Amino acid sequence: MALTGSLDIGRLELRPNSVERSFNREPFGFDHNLSQLDMFELGSLASLADKQYGPGHESDFFLASSATAPDERFRAVKSVNLSLTDAFCSLNKHSIRILLKRPEDHDPRFRKLRDDLMEQILDRSPELRNDRILRLESAIFITSAATLTPFHFDPSAVFFCQIMGKKTYHLYSPTTLTEPELEQFYFRGMVDIAQVELTKRDPKEEHVFQLSAGTGLHQPQNAPHWVETQGDISVSYSFFFETLTARKTNRIRGFNHYLRMAGAQPQPPGLQPGIDALKAEAMNVWIPCRKTLSYVRSATMGRS
Ligand SMILES: [Fe+2]
């Protein structure tokens, strides 16, 4: 698909009605021009990491080696004992996955890119324009050849763009997860990734995307996935967000977790709008209390 426009502007080439029809329901592919932007050259990314992700910014990046199997636990994956600068220099020598979080906080070009791309999604979706966008962030992934990210799901709607190298992306529809699986994650009010068991999924529900430079995919919120980098260094970029509607649904599931622990069989979100609103409101109060209690307990026990 031919892409036009100035080379310093990130553009998504979305197929007609793909966002309107499938956003946050089913995965779909698209094309983009991000591979043509200088800011994604490996040297530019190494320089960004060197200058902007130094001492004091340790929580803004993540280093890991490859998993050995798609169903390996995240915590079991070997850590990488290198500085970020050394990790960049070792991509060809070792098995390394680098995640640069929120580049928009470190370089205005990435802020503009994130906002431009989000605008293009909003242009396609009356549903999203009528919602509120919360926690809009982006991330850059730089990985060695032949690395593997284990099976998990993310609490955000994701647009994932392959910039360099090739990835095989194994993605399932959100409906492959059960309500109890979702509830046990959302009751904590966290925004981190969540692991679930790959063996419980129906292989017929797997979408396999062969991504190369200039291609991308939409990953609905709660769509579990695992990812393989093929035979060369890979660079990918994603931007992701939560809507106000999705956050309410998360909170309803959080409330349902407590009901289920008490022996009830709660109705999933969407079937009882009035009761759903009460559940979400209750969790709006409970989640900050729970976080405060956890902090106080840690501080009292000397672990804060
Ligand atoms: Fe993910």
Side-chain angles (χ1 to χ4, degrees):
M1 204 177 297
L3 291 162
T4 55
S6 167
L7 284 186
D8 62 357
I9 296 177
R11 292 198 185 282
L12 304 177
E13 191 74 15
L14 299 154
R15 289 166 187 90
N17 299 319
S18 54
V19 179
E20 299 89 320
R21 189 176 53 231
S22 302
F23 173 76
N24 249 359
R25 288 183 275 277
E26 284 297 320
F28 58 84
F30 57 84
D31 295 334
H32 61 83
N33 74 341
L34 274 55
S35 320
Q36 299 168 37
L37 305 182
D38 295 345
M39 60 209 266
F40 284 112
E41 285 177 5
L42 211 45
S44 297
L45 295 175
S47 170
L48 174 74
D50 213 27
K51 292 184 183 134
Q52 298 292 328
Y53 288 81
H57 294 285
E58 288 77 10
S59 61
D60 286 356
F61 67 88
F62 176 76
L63 294 179
S65 58
S66 173
T68 55
D71 55 357
E72 186 171 354
R73 307 303 298 173
F74 262 86
R75 284 186 188 152
V77 174
K78 256 176 45 187
S79 58
V80 171
N81 294 316
L82 292 171
S83 69
L84 184 55
T85 302
D86 288 343
F88 264 90
C89 297
S90 305
L91 283 164
N92 275 319
K93 281 186 282 184
H94 301 296
S95 166
I96 298 174
R97 293 182 288 139
I98 302 172
L99 166 62
L100 299 180
K101 301 179 188 174
R102 298 176 291 278
E104 61 272 14
D105 290 349
H106 299 276
D107 184 330
R109 294 174 305 165
F110 282 101
R111 178 164 293 268
K112 180 175 185 319
L113 176 68
R114 181 202 66 178
D115 294 346
D116 285 349
L117 298 178
M118 187 67 228
E119 203 57 47
Q120 292 167 46
I121 298 298
L122 289 171
D123 278 349
R124 293 296 199 95
S125 172
E127 177 187 332
L128 274 172
R129 286 199 300 276
N130 288 328
D131 209 327
R132 184 136 60 92
I133 304 300
L134 309 171
R135 203 170 49 78
L136 171 62
E137 292 182 19
S138 72
I140 305 168
F141 306 85
I142 305 110
T143 52
S144 303
T147 47
L148 197 153
T149 302
F151 193 60
H152 67 282
F153 72 92
D154 304 289
S156 316
V158 177
F159 286 82
F160 186 94
C161 302
Q162 188 64 14
I163 310 285
M164 172 183 157
K166 293 184 176 173
K167 275 189 191 297
T168 303
Y169 212 106
H170 303 258
L171 180 54
Y172 292 73
S173 302
T175 50
T176 196
L177 297 178
T178 64
E179 283 298 317
E181 281 177 315
L182 290 163
E183 290 163 9
Q184 65 176 340
F185 174 69
Y186 282 114
F187 86 96
R188 291 173 290 171
M190 288 174 70
V191 293
D192 208 349
I193 56 173
Q195 273 199 285
V196 282
E197 286 181 51
L198 177 57
T199 52
K200 290 187 177 170
R201 306 313 130 191
D202 181 351
K204 290 203 286 290
E205 291 201 51
E206 183 185 16
H207 302 249
V208 180
F209 290 86
Q210 301 294 350
L211 296 180
S212 56
T215 64
L217 60 83
H218 166 56
Q219 175 182 294
Q221 180 170 346
N222 303 330
H225 52 281
W226 65 279
V227 186
E228 302 170 273
T229 299
Q230 302 298 344
D232 206 348
I233 291 174
S234 163
V235 175
S236 320
Y237 170 84
S238 75
F239 64 101
F240 48 94
F241 54 91
E242 184 184 21
T243 64
L244 183 62
T245 301
R247 181 167 293 180
K248 281 183 184 160
T249 302
N250 301 342
R251 301 235 151 142
I252 295 161
R253 288 194 164 114
F255 193 95
N256 282 351
H257 172 78
Y258 290 105
L259 290 178
R260 207 176 290 280
M261 282 200 308
Q265 292 289 317
Q267 293 284 353
L271 299 182
Q272 300 169 298
I275 293 176
D276 279 353
L278 292 174
K279 288 175 176 176
E281 196 50 47
M283 290 303 282
N284 282 345
V285 175
W286 172 237
I287 284 175
C289 287
R290 192 177 183 281
K291 286 181 176 167
T292 304
L293 281 171
S294 171
Y295 174 78
V296 169
R297 191 172 57 192
S298 295
T300 308
M301 296 172 75
R303 287 194 278 114
S304 65

